[in-house]
Amino acid sequence: MDKTIDITLKIWRQHDRKAKGAFETYNLKGISTDSSFLEMLDVLNEQLINEGKEPVVFDHDCREGICGMCSLYINGHPHGPDTAVTTCQLHMRKFHNGDVITIEPWRSAGFPVIRDLMVDRTAFDQIIQAGGYISVNCGGAQDANAVRIPKKDADEAMDSASCIGCGACVAACKNGSAMLFVSAKVSQFALLPQGRVEAARRARAMVAKMDELGFGNCTNTGACAAECPKSVSLSNIARLNREFIKAKLKD
Amino acid sequence: MWLTNSSIGRKVVMSISGLFLVLFLTFHMCMNIALVFSEDAYNAVCKFLGANWYALVGTLVLAAGFLVHIIYAFWLTLQNLKARGSDRYAVNVRPDTVEWSSQNMLVLGIIVILFLVLHMAQFWFKMQLNEIAGVAPGINPHDGATLVIEVFSCPWMVLLYLVWFFALWFHLTHGFWSAMQTIGINNKIWFNRWKTIGNVFVTIICLGFAFVAIAIYIKYGLMGAGGVC
Ligand code: HEM
């Protein structure tokens, strides 16, 4: 069962924020198709360390698709060619013997490269700090039927909340727009009664922060949703637009 | 002012001005159809929309609509290029669900303006401007029919205009639903509905324009004097 493949990697190497980066080519032999993409990179780094070279820097944490830490732009797709999975859930069985795999960092003015494949995504934290929370007192845990929420809304809110904040939407967008991320965060609250209280303030503050940090204007190409590892829907963006326009018209 | 200093506000301006232009195109297409059936009916419309105060006000509003749309188009596109950063991906794949036109709206728009300049020189200059400023003496500003027939008797002109309508069609197949998304009247159900409504609507508009150009060519160019260019 243990099938192995030989591959060639073209990886973006960049020493620090200011340095000019370039692609380096590496050959890897005998990679198990059962290994994950990140395990394959671990093998590469092991090899580099043994050769006395600097290992490739890349972000990763939970390796089970929920933390949003892994990134990588693989062969022209954020999180690689598979759909609706993060890089850590991508497996080498998606590749073939002799493949050349190009691995790049997220490229966007809002996400500057820190080193090699690792980018600075603290801009997303700043957007969340601007309003991606509930500050009103919701009281203690209530009976499930005390606050009645239509099933449809509960489901939509849950789908929006599945955003892990990895930044693939920004990486995929030709405009470097963060609208899918911001709209998912605004939606998960706007759909529920506890979140509605501050809905207008939240939309205003998060969009203002997003603009201030230099993310682009959304032109509705839909590349974000197509590449999102959690399949967050474009309908969130329509909702954010609606919330924002309503808030501004009320001012 | 949120319509200039917020990203969504700027998009709202793009959307409303775009929809206004779509409305104008709809009217323009309907008026053109009249020519296929009656030169007199068409000229009556031309006369009605000559140098009256309401036609002039209409023209100014329309010009403002175009100007706003075009200025914002360049502004947004420049901001987006900046937001993208100076490093480009070495390998970039367009996902299947992403329309080509959606990523090339500015290019399509520029094609539309270039043809618009030609179009204005061929008609507006000799009609409304001629009537108010007398820039083309010897041409009757109310006889739009003759001008149109002259232009579309030439097969090259017909072909050029068809390219124009094609670029416009691409611009609007994305633009129409995108405008609805931008002003927030969209959701999971309406997503495909708006796309379908938009596709049908803009196809009718563009086919309408193309029909008139081709019909005039056949009626006057091919069957009449023959392609005078
Ligand atoms: C008859 C002419 C035109 C019509 C009917 C039209 C219509 C539209 C519509 C409905 C949109 C969608 C707005 C949205 O996404 O919210 C749009 C977007 C756009 N238009 Fe036009 N347009 C016209 C001419 C032009 C011209 C001359 C340009 C100029 C260069 C242009 C450039 C753009 C660009 C760049 C966008 C995308 C902007 C964005 O989504 O952020 N358009 N147009």
Side-chain angles (χ1 to χ4, degrees), chain A residues 219, chain B residues 11 14-15 21 69 73 76 105 109 113 171-172 175 178-179 182:
Chain A
T219 62
Chain B
K11 276 306 306 276
M14 214 49 215
S15 163
L21 295 178
H69 191 77
L76 284 169
M105 289 297 271
I113 322 185
H171 193 80
L172 292 180
S178 174
T182 300

Side-chain angles (χ1 to χ4, degrees), chain B residues 22-93:
Chain B
V22 171
L23 206 67
F24 160 71
L25 286 183
T26 312
F27 164 73
H28 197 329
M29 188 273 285
C30 293
M31 143 181 177
N32 290 2
I33 298 276
L35 178 57
V36 178
F37 300 102
S38 155
E39 290 174 33
D40 289 340
Y42 183 76
N43 276 346
V45 182
C46 290
K47 192 162 183 205
F48 176 69
L49 294 175
N52 324 296
W53 68 267
Y54 44 84
L56 288 174
V57 169
T59 306
L60 286 178
V61 172
L62 183 61
F66 264 107
L67 219 59
V68 166
H69 191 77
I70 293 168
I71 291 170
Y72 269 69
F74 279 97
W75 188 20
L76 284 169
T77 308
L78 284 177
Q79 282 190 326
N80 291 347
L81 277 173
K82 196 162 150 249
R84 194 75 189 85
S86 43
D87 279 322
R88 302 277 131 180
Y89 289 114
V91 182
N92 209 351
V93 182

Side-chain angles (χ1 to χ4, degrees), chain A residues 128-207:
Chain A
I128 292 293
Q129 282 159 8
Y133 50 79
I134 290 178
S135 60
V136 294
N137 192 343
C138 299
Q142 285 137 336
D143 276 348
N145 58 1
V147 184
R148 281 179 294 176
I149 299 163
K151 169 99 171 89
K152 203 172 120 278
D153 292 347
D155 286 350
E156 286 244 10
M158 194 66 195
D159 287 347
S160 306
S162 67
C163 167
I164 53 176
C166 66
C169 43
V170 177
C173 178
K174 80 169 185 57
N175 308 318
S177 164
M179 284 286 277
L180 193 64
F181 166 75
V182 176
S183 67
K185 298 302 170 195
V186 163
S187 290
Q188 74 186 39
F189 295 120
L191 284 159
L192 301 176
Q194 296 89 340
R196 277 256 42 106
V197 183
E198 295 166 296
R201 210 208 83 221
R202 181 178 304 113
R204 245 188 259 118
M206 290 180 79
V207 170

